[in-house]
Amino acid sequence: MSELGLVKRQFGHRARLALSPAEIRVIDDQAHAARTLWNCLHSWWQMMPKDKCTLAGADAAIRQARKDLDYLAVLPAQAAQAVLKTYHRAWVNCWEGRAQEPSFKGRFRTPMSVDIPQGRDLNIVRVHRRWGMVNLPKIGRVRFRWTKDLSVGKKATKDSRITGARLVKDALGWHIAFRIQTLQRAPESHQGPEVGIDAGVNIPLALSNKDHGRPPRLPDGTADRDKWLTPKEKAKLLRLERQAAHRNTFRKPGEKTSRRLQHTYDQIKQLRAKATRRALNWQHQTTTYLARTYGVLVVEQLNILGMTKHPAPRPDPAGGGAFGRNGARAKAGLNRSIAQEAWGRTVTILTYKSARYGGRLVKVPAPHTSRRCSACGCITSGSRESQELFVCKNPDCGWTANADWNAARNILHLYRTGHVIVAVPAAGRRGRRAVTPSNLPQQCRRESPS
């Protein structure tokens, strides 16, 4: 932050590329070369002695490999250096405990991408109201969809400019993701109200003040797995899945997938990618509304990986219960619903958007937020009669409400009573006390239900 109250902001913008079949083949070759270079670099790093695993040695090995192997030479030199930089950063994250060790990248499970680290080589020009031109290494001038005003031309300065880009591919084709850096005035402290947010399945984001109907609404069929597809797209997806299952019956074990079956798989991937894009668009619209409206956003500290684990198998295969023969299938359905809502991505988006608008995001402990009554504070067994309804079993209370709204009220109450785990951003703010067993709230408390 400068003395004038200006801060540097870095964000990304993704646009669709308009490529010819020949250009697509060139970028595909570059992406495969980048993945192969990563695997060769990983093998070299594991084989070399510890004292010789240096950036200078790896850089020399990459330069020699690009001279000896023609299929690695199709990758631009700067993109090859970006692979080395990304690989070294992966090891730094592992050494600092933020990630696991880097591993080999598989051909089919790894997203295809090519990095363009130098923004000055892009030479972006707007040629039409809807289209722009960008220069790609070893490809030339390519059109891309213009959907956002970029800091190019006379608008580009030392502090507001495009620092680089990355070519990424999904089921819908190749896109370019620009890395943009701007200099903006630091936002003032947000004076909006406080709100508790509960991430659920029936209501994706339930607010403590019942404002969850104000953001952009979900399409019809909230509990449907393919809720982001239209009825025609759902029918087409069902037809393609049946067609793929029928054609797969004629495939012998170990036999290569036929072109016709692979084409069917590609069509299924395109529909799935379209649904994912619509879900991400809804997430961005909703989180922007929340960050602009509220000054303090309170969420739970959830262990999503632990919540989506498969149930432990029972010794008796015929055993019943919640995780018996029939319960395992229900738990698998719940895991799919949790993964589809992408709760972790929602919290990540809320974190930087709340800081952008001057607010802050606070995380509170998650235990018993969905089982505790927000009116009387009692935790009683059987209060969750269904996934949607909460009924307090306390004889003196008997309060009934939506289960997600009840949990959102409990989340906000934990923040107001000082049970905070993480407060983001913490710079320049006085942190709250951490949660410990000694300062956990009592099992029963009295609070007005209003």
Side-chain angles (χ1 to χ4, degrees):
M1 182 180 297
S2 64
E3 297 179 357
L4 300 177
L6 301 177
V7 294
K8 284 187 178 181
R9 176 190 162 206
Q10 296 180 352
F11 62 96
H13 173 65
R14 186 167 172 169
R16 176 168 56 89
L17 291 173
L19 302 172
S20 64
E23 293 170 340
I24 292 176
R25 286 194 295 270
V26 173
I27 300 181
D28 286 346
D29 292 341
Q30 292 183 2
H32 287 304
R35 179 188 57 83
T36 305
L37 184 62
W38 173 285
N39 293 338
C40 294
L41 183 60
H42 186 58
S43 299
W44 179 89
W45 195 276
Q46 290 181 329
M47 289 187 302
M48 294 299 292
K50 192 173 183 180
D51 56 339
K52 294 185 179 181
C53 288
T54 61
L55 287 177
D59 181 57
I62 288 177
R63 293 176 184 271
Q64 187 63 34
R66 295 184 70 250
K67 293 180 181 179
D68 298 339
L69 303 176
D70 294 337
Y71 63 87
L72 292 182
V74 300
L75 185 67
Q78 294 180 352
Q81 296 297 319
V83 173
L84 173 59
K85 183 178 179 181
T86 305
Y87 183 78
H88 182 262
R89 171 51 56 183
W91 274 112
V92 171
N93 293 336
C94 175
W95 296 332
E96 295 179 356
R98 293 194 300 266
Q100 296 180 352
E101 293 185 4
S103 59
F104 291 99
K105 291 187 176 182
R107 179 181 178 88
F108 298 104
R109 68 175 184 271
T110 303
M112 300 178 65
S113 64
V114 180
D115 204 356
I116 307 176
Q118 298 294 338
R120 62 175 180 267
D121 298 337
L122 297 175
N123 297 325
I124 301 173
V125 178
R126 186 173 185 178
V127 296
H128 189 262
R129 181 172 63 91
R130 295 184 178 181
W131 294 97
M133 297 289 290
V134 61
N135 186 41
L136 302 182
K138 294 193 174 184
I139 297 176
R141 304 294 289 174
V142 175
R143 289 193 309 161
F144 70 93
R145 190 72 169 177
W146 191 282
T147 57
K148 184 180 180 64
D149 189 16
L150 304 174
S151 299
V152 296
K154 296 181 179 180
K155 297 181 180 179
T157 61
K158 183 179 179 181
D159 297 319
S160 298
R161 58 192 174 90
I162 295 178
T163 59
R166 173 171 291 183
L167 306 179
V168 292
K169 185 179 183 180
D170 60 5
L172 298 176
W174 279 100
H175 299 74
I176 182 168
F178 298 103
R179 292 189 290 268
I180 306 173
Q181 174 184 300
T182 60
L183 189 65
Q184 299 179 349
R185 186 172 299 276
E188 299 180 356
S189 181
H190 201 301
Q191 302 300 325
E194 305 165 349
V195 66
I197 304 176
D198 176 69
V201 176
N202 296 312
I203 302 179
L205 295 177
L207 306 187
S208 57
N209 58 357
K210 285 189 176 182
D211 194 27
H212 34 261
R214 291 284 300 278
R217 299 197 176 195
L218 293 172
D220 295 335
T222 308
D224 191 0
R225 178 185 176 187
D226 304 314
K227 59 186 177 182
W228 298 105
L229 299 177
T230 62
K232 289 185 178 180
E233 291 171 341
K234 290 181 182 179
K236 181 180 178 180
L237 179 62
L238 180 61
R239 177 176 57 83
L240 290 174
E241 289 178 341
R242 290 177 175 175
Q243 192 178 71
H246 174 71
R247 289 174 177 174
N248 198 30
T249 57
F250 299 98
R251 179 184 172 191
K252 298 180 181 179
E255 185 181 1
K256 187 178 179 180
T257 305
S258 64
R259 291 185 179 181
R260 183 174 297 180
L261 179 58
Q262 188 62 45
H263 178 66
T264 305
Y265 285 151
D266 292 340
Q267 289 180 301
I268 295 175
K269 290 179 182 179
Q270 291 176 3
L271 288 175
R272 295 293 187 192
K274 187 178 295 185
T276 302
R277 181 174 298 181
R278 291 172 183 172
L280 182 60
N281 179 58
W282 179 88
Q283 270 187 326
H284 277 287
Q285 292 184 23
T286 305
T287 51
T288 300
Y289 167 80
L290 295 176
R292 287 177 175 176
T293 306
Y294 300 100
V296 179
L297 305 170
V298 189
V299 298
E300 297 176 283
Q301 180 75 16
L302 294 175
N303 181 14
I304 302 178
L305 292 178
M307 296 173 60
T308 55
K309 282 186 177 180
H310 294 288
R314 288 176 174 263
D316 185 10
F323 301 112
R325 181 182 300 177
N326 298 327
R329 182 176 297 179
K331 184 63 170 63
L334 179 61
N335 293 346
R336 285 194 300 269
S337 300
I338 293 175
Q340 183 183 11
E341 296 299 335
W343 295 342
R345 186 174 62 190
T346 302
V347 174
T348 302
I349 297 175
L350 277 175
T351 301
Y352 74 81
K353 286 191 177 181
S354 59
R356 181 190 305 175
Y357 293 103
R360 58 172 179 160
L361 182 107
V362 177
K363 295 183 180 180
V364 298
H368 307 304
T369 53
S370 61
R371 298 177 57 234
R372 181 183 291 109
C373 177
S374 60
C376 67
C378 291
I379 301 177
T380 55
S381 60
S383 56
R384 292 292 296 272
E385 294 190 350
S386 64
Q387 188 68 23
E388 301 180 7
L389 186 62
F390 178 89
V391 179
C392 182
K393 298 300 182 180
N394 185 6
D396 299 332
C397 181
W399 191 57
T400 303
N402 181 273
D404 296 331
W405 177 52
N406 175 76
R409 284 164 50 86
N410 288 326
I411 292 171
L412 180 60
H413 183 83
L414 287 176
Y415 164 73
R416 289 175 174 174
T417 54
H419 299 88
V420 175
I421 298 179
V422 180
V424 182
R429 299 181 184 273
R430 187 176 180 180
R432 292 177 176 266
R433 55 174 177 165
V435 59
T436 59
S438 60
N439 60 17
L440 282 174
Q442 298 293 329
Q443 183 178 2
C444 292
R445 68 173 185 269
R446 292 293 179 181
E447 181 185 355
S448 173
S450 57

